Amino acid sequence: MKTLTEEQRIKWATDGYIQLEGALNSDEVSFFSAKLDEVRQLPGFEPRPDELQRGHYKWLDHADDLDPEGFMDRRDLLTYDQAFIDLIDHPGVFDLIVDIMGPWILFSMSQAIVRAATNTFPGYTHTDGGEALRRIRVTETSRPLAMKAMYLLNDVNSEDSGNFTVFPGSHLRPFPEDNSQLNPHTPGAVQLTGKAGDAYLFSHALWHGPAPNHSNRARKTLLYNYCQMFVRWYDFDSISKVADQCTPRQRRLLGDLGYDFRPGSYFYAPLDQEEIIYGSPA
Ligand SMILES: O=C(O)CCC(=O)C(=O)O
């Protein structure tokens, strides 16, 4: 499997993220971009901030906005197309995730976010993993508890275009209890640019979030999240419904250990874990 270059390894350790150019090719970008336009017409999980607590999603008949340039935040993408399943261990990106996290991991979440061009969204900054994980930090040499791959489906060329915004090195500092002043324009924030097909890999502990989008077009992204096996997935309530469409490696990443649950499962990995994760993708 591919591993990080020395330069990427240093950047991951010191900045808490790396950018991979051309992680998806142009056919893949066009395919996923068109799929997101279809997905918003279909039932699925979307946020309901006025109805549900922060970060919780409700099953709806379709996205609120049916315009492909409108806002969408859809969770649990795997049922929409085989390609969303195959992105779990996309060559080139998954290799690096395993290099960073080790082989004892699960796939924990998929998400498509379209950040519409609007003057009403100021952006926000956070760490991942809710109340508990925001209080847990990693050191330069620690494997992360969780990390995400974020795929850009369109070019982001200038600031305030819905950019993925990071505070480099912030994965090594405590997240302030009062983070209300932190935003994509706070000193230290870096609004990343990139080309369609680029991917950002980032640690759960990195302060990050979207910038406002004052450009004249929506910013489309896919987010795939991975965690250490003893943590757990949080996109579905038991092993994903698509398990029978998956390769053995994808099934394992979705939590199918190859035997019925027993105490100890997910704590110590199955004996063939390394063979499955490092082995052939099919
Ligand atoms: O850039 C975005 O739209 C949000 C991405 C993000 O902050 C996250 O996945 O945690």
mmCIF file of all heavy atoms in Angstrom, residues 111 113 115 124 126 128 148 150 164 202 208-210 219 223, ligand 1:
data_model
loop_
_atom_site.group_PDB
_atom_site.id
_atom_site.type_symbol
_atom_site.label_atom_id
_atom_site.label_comp_id
_atom_site.label_asym_id
_atom_site.label_seq_id
_atom_site.Cartn_x
_atom_site.Cartn_y
_atom_site.Cartn_z
ATOM 1 N N GLN A 111 -20.995 11.712 4.171
ATOM 2 C CA GLN A 111 -21.775 12.950 4.156
ATOM 3 C C GLN A 111 -21.504 13.702 2.864
ATOM 4 O O GLN A 111 -20.369 13.717 2.373
ATOM 5 C CB GLN A 111 -21.327 13.807 5.347
ATOM 6 C CG GLN A 111 -22.085 15.087 5.577
ATOM 7 C CD GLN A 111 -21.617 15.789 6.857
ATOM 8 O OE1 GLN A 111 -20.473 15.572 7.295
ATOM 9 N NE2 GLN A 111 -22.450 16.603 7.445
ATOM 10 N N ILE A 113 -22.002 17.576 1.459
ATOM 11 C CA ILE A 113 -22.407 18.941 1.820
ATOM 12 C C ILE A 113 -22.277 19.841 0.603
ATOM 13 O O ILE A 113 -21.221 19.881 -0.046
ATOM 14 C CB ILE A 113 -21.554 19.515 2.977
ATOM 15 C CG1 ILE A 113 -21.609 18.597 4.198
ATOM 16 C CG2 ILE A 113 -22.055 20.911 3.349
ATOM 17 C CD1 ILE A 113 -20.875 19.136 5.421
ATOM 18 N N ARG A 115 -22.470 23.732 -0.070
ATOM 19 C CA ARG A 115 -22.511 25.055 0.568
ATOM 20 C C ARG A 115 -22.944 26.059 -0.489
ATOM 21 O O ARG A 115 -22.170 26.449 -1.372
ATOM 22 C CB ARG A 115 -21.132 25.460 1.096
ATOM 23 C CG ARG A 115 -20.657 24.614 2.236
ATOM 24 C CD ARG A 115 -21.063 25.191 3.578
ATOM 25 N NE ARG A 115 -20.870 24.209 4.638
ATOM 26 C CZ ARG A 115 -21.713 24.009 5.626
ATOM 27 N NH1 ARG A 115 -22.822 24.715 5.720
ATOM 28 N NH2 ARG A 115 -21.462 23.114 6.549
ATOM 29 N N TYR A 124 -18.438 28.538 10.307
ATOM 30 C CA TYR A 124 -18.254 28.216 11.714
ATOM 31 C C TYR A 124 -16.995 27.368 11.873
ATOM 32 O O TYR A 124 -16.449 26.860 10.895
ATOM 33 C CB TYR A 124 -19.480 27.509 12.310
ATOM 34 C CG TYR A 124 -19.813 26.190 11.665
ATOM 35 C CD1 TYR A 124 -19.257 24.986 12.138
ATOM 36 C CD2 TYR A 124 -20.683 26.121 10.587
ATOM 37 C CE1 TYR A 124 -19.557 23.778 11.548
ATOM 38 C CE2 TYR A 124 -20.992 24.909 9.985
ATOM 39 C CZ TYR A 124 -20.425 23.746 10.471
ATOM 40 O OH TYR A 124 -20.718 22.543 9.880
ATOM 41 N N HIS A 126 -15.100 24.287 14.446
ATOM 42 C CA HIS A 126 -15.355 23.266 15.471
ATOM 43 C C HIS A 126 -14.272 22.188 15.387
ATOM 44 O O HIS A 126 -13.447 22.210 14.480
ATOM 45 C CB HIS A 126 -16.733 22.633 15.249
ATOM 46 C CG HIS A 126 -16.842 21.896 13.938
ATOM 47 N ND1 HIS A 126 -16.850 22.523 12.722
ATOM 48 C CD2 HIS A 126 -16.909 20.571 13.653
ATOM 49 C CE1 HIS A 126 -16.935 21.636 11.755
ATOM 50 N NE2 HIS A 126 -16.964 20.435 12.288
ATOM 51 N N ASP A 128 -14.159 17.719 15.635
ATOM 52 C CA ASP A 128 -15.118 16.652 15.379
ATOM 53 C C ASP A 128 -15.307 15.746 16.597
ATOM 54 O O ASP A 128 -14.462 15.692 17.483
ATOM 55 C CB ASP A 128 -14.659 15.810 14.183
ATOM 56 C CG ASP A 128 -14.999 16.495 12.876
ATOM 57 O OD1 ASP A 128 -15.901 17.360 12.862
ATOM 58 O OD2 ASP A 128 -14.364 16.175 11.864
ATOM 59 N N LYS A 148 -11.032 12.485 8.928
ATOM 60 C CA LYS A 148 -11.910 12.548 7.753
ATOM 61 C C LYS A 148 -11.106 12.749 6.485
ATOM 62 O O LYS A 148 -10.029 13.361 6.513
ATOM 63 C CB LYS A 148 -12.871 13.732 7.864
ATOM 64 C CG LYS A 148 -14.077 13.475 8.739
ATOM 65 C CD LYS A 148 -15.009 14.675 8.742
ATOM 66 C CE LYS A 148 -16.177 14.446 9.682
ATOM 67 N NZ LYS A 148 -16.721 15.708 10.198
ATOM 68 N N MET A 150 -12.013 14.661 3.010
ATOM 69 C CA MET A 150 -13.004 15.566 2.408
ATOM 70 C C MET A 150 -12.636 15.776 0.951
ATOM 71 O O MET A 150 -11.541 16.230 0.646
ATOM 72 C CB MET A 150 -12.980 16.890 3.153
ATOM 73 C CG MET A 150 -13.881 17.945 2.563
ATOM 74 S SD MET A 150 -13.943 19.343 3.710
ATOM 75 C CE MET A 150 -15.013 20.439 2.825
ATOM 76 N N PHE A 164 -12.906 25.033 2.884
ATOM 77 C CA PHE A 164 -12.591 24.297 4.099
ATOM 78 C C PHE A 164 -11.507 25.125 4.807
ATOM 79 O O PHE A 164 -10.464 25.444 4.214
ATOM 80 C CB PHE A 164 -12.076 22.902 3.754
ATOM 81 C CG PHE A 164 -11.815 22.068 4.963
ATOM 82 C CD1 PHE A 164 -12.843 21.748 5.828
ATOM 83 C CD2 PHE A 164 -10.539 21.606 5.240
ATOM 84 C CE1 PHE A 164 -12.613 20.979 6.956
ATOM 85 C CE2 PHE A 164 -10.300 20.829 6.362
ATOM 86 C CZ PHE A 164 -11.336 20.522 7.217
ATOM 87 N N PHE A 202 -7.876 15.188 7.428
ATOM 88 C CA PHE A 202 -7.654 15.980 8.649
ATOM 89 C C PHE A 202 -8.061 15.209 9.898
ATOM 90 O O PHE A 202 -8.935 14.342 9.877
ATOM 91 C CB PHE A 202 -8.353 17.342 8.584
ATOM 92 C CG PHE A 202 -9.851 17.314 8.448
ATOM 93 C CD1 PHE A 202 -10.666 17.491 9.567
ATOM 94 C CD2 PHE A 202 -10.455 17.121 7.224
ATOM 95 C CE1 PHE A 202 -12.061 17.490 9.456
ATOM 96 C CE2 PHE A 202 -11.849 17.106 7.102
ATOM 97 C CZ PHE A 202 -12.644 17.296 8.212
ATOM 98 N N HIS A 208 -11.597 23.388 12.660
ATOM 99 C CA HIS A 208 -11.870 23.510 11.228
ATOM 100 C C HIS A 208 -13.336 23.850 10.988
ATOM 101 O O HIS A 208 -14.150 23.786 11.916
ATOM 102 C CB HIS A 208 -11.549 22.178 10.530
ATOM 103 C CG HIS A 208 -12.477 21.073 10.929
ATOM 104 N ND1 HIS A 208 -12.260 20.258 12.022
ATOM 105 C CD2 HIS A 208 -13.664 20.653 10.418
ATOM 106 C CE1 HIS A 208 -13.237 19.387 12.148
ATOM 107 N NE2 HIS A 208 -14.132 19.607 11.179
ATOM 108 N N GLY A 209 -13.665 24.121 9.758
ATOM 109 C CA GLY A 209 -15.066 24.361 9.402
ATOM 110 C C GLY A 209 -15.161 25.097 8.086
ATOM 111 O O GLY A 209 -14.142 25.434 7.480
ATOM 112 N N PRO A 210 -16.374 25.338 7.640
ATOM 113 C CA PRO A 210 -16.560 26.009 6.357
ATOM 114 C C PRO A 210 -16.477 27.533 6.486
ATOM 115 O O PRO A 210 -16.935 28.096 7.476
ATOM 116 C CB PRO A 210 -17.978 25.592 5.964
ATOM 117 C CG PRO A 210 -18.673 25.368 7.265
ATOM 118 C CD PRO A 210 -17.635 24.874 8.239
ATOM 119 N N ARG A 219 -20.417 25.271 -3.385
ATOM 120 C CA ARG A 219 -19.235 24.417 -3.165
ATOM 121 C C ARG A 219 -19.721 23.030 -2.756
ATOM 122 O O ARG A 219 -20.426 22.881 -1.768
ATOM 123 C CB ARG A 219 -18.373 25.019 -2.057
ATOM 124 C CG ARG A 219 -17.042 24.314 -1.869
ATOM 125 C CD ARG A 219 -16.744 24.028 -0.418
ATOM 126 N NE ARG A 219 -17.677 23.085 0.160
ATOM 127 C CZ ARG A 219 -17.772 22.831 1.458
ATOM 128 N NH1 ARG A 219 -17.015 23.468 2.317
ATOM 129 N NH2 ARG A 219 -18.635 21.933 1.926
ATOM 130 N N LEU A 223 -17.648 13.896 2.372
ATOM 131 C CA LEU A 223 -16.833 13.679 3.566
ATOM 132 C C LEU A 223 -16.949 12.228 4.006
ATOM 133 O O LEU A 223 -18.070 11.713 4.164
ATOM 134 C CB LEU A 223 -17.306 14.588 4.694
ATOM 135 C CG LEU A 223 -16.930 16.046 4.473
ATOM 136 C CD1 LEU A 223 -18.086 16.960 4.765
ATOM 137 C CD2 LEU A 223 -15.736 16.411 5.315
HETATM 138 O O1 LIG B 1 -16.777 22.499 4.970
HETATM 139 C C1 LIG B 1 -17.865 22.090 5.360
HETATM 140 O O2 LIG B 1 -18.872 22.264 4.739
HETATM 141 C C2 LIG B 1 -17.964 21.373 6.677
HETATM 142 C C3 LIG B 1 -16.937 20.329 6.852
HETATM 143 C C4 LIG B 1 -16.699 20.112 8.290
HETATM 144 O O3 LIG B 1 -16.506 21.027 9.010
HETATM 145 C C5 LIG B 1 -16.702 18.781 8.841
HETATM 146 O O4 LIG B 1 -16.846 17.816 8.115
HETATM 147 O O5 LIG B 1 -16.565 18.602 10.053
#
